[in-house]
């Protein structure tokens, strides 16, 4: 069975998802899907989103992957 993957930007402190135009939301349902991790990373850099990480979200939550940014990794120590 093929899994569907969506790509989101998430604030590593609040865990809110980026929904566009500087807004954040609680649920990935209302979040902007970047359809690729490189697109999400480029967006983070271009728009200078602070404390952002990339989330690869699958149909089953246990397969989700979080790719923390350098800023997020430093705060988790």
């Amino acid at each position: 069975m093929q899994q569907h993957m969506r790509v989101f930007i998430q604030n590593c402190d609040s865990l809110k998802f980026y929904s566009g135009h500087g807004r954040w939301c609680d649920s990935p349902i209302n979040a902007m899907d970047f359809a690729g991790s490189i697109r999400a990373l480029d967006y983070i850099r271009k728009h200078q989103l602070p404390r952002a990480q990339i989330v690869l979200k699958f149909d089953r939550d246990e397969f989700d992957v979080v790719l923390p940014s350098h800023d997020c990794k430093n705060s988790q120590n």
Side-chain angles (χ1 to χ4, degrees), residues 9-71:
I9 294 173
Q10 183 182 49
N11 179 281
C12 61
D13 296 320
S14 69
L15 301 182
K16 291 188 177 208
F17 295 91
Y18 189 74
S19 60
H21 305 290
R23 294 178 300 206
W24 298 83
C25 60
D26 292 324
S27 170
I29 293 169
N30 300 317
M32 187 180 220
D33 183 352
F34 289 88
S37 57
I38 299 301
R39 286 184 184 165
L41 182 59
D42 287 344
Y43 194 92
I44 290 168
R45 288 181 179 162
K46 181 179 178 184
H47 294 88
Q48 300 177 343
L49 298 179
R51 313 279 303 139
Q53 60 190 13
I54 296 170
V55 177
L56 309 179
K57 192 133 187 67
F58 294 88
D59 296 334
R60 293 177 52 188
D61 290 342
E62 62 265 25
F63 296 129
D64 292 355
V65 177
V66 176
L67 306 170
S69 69
H70 182 71
D71 288 345

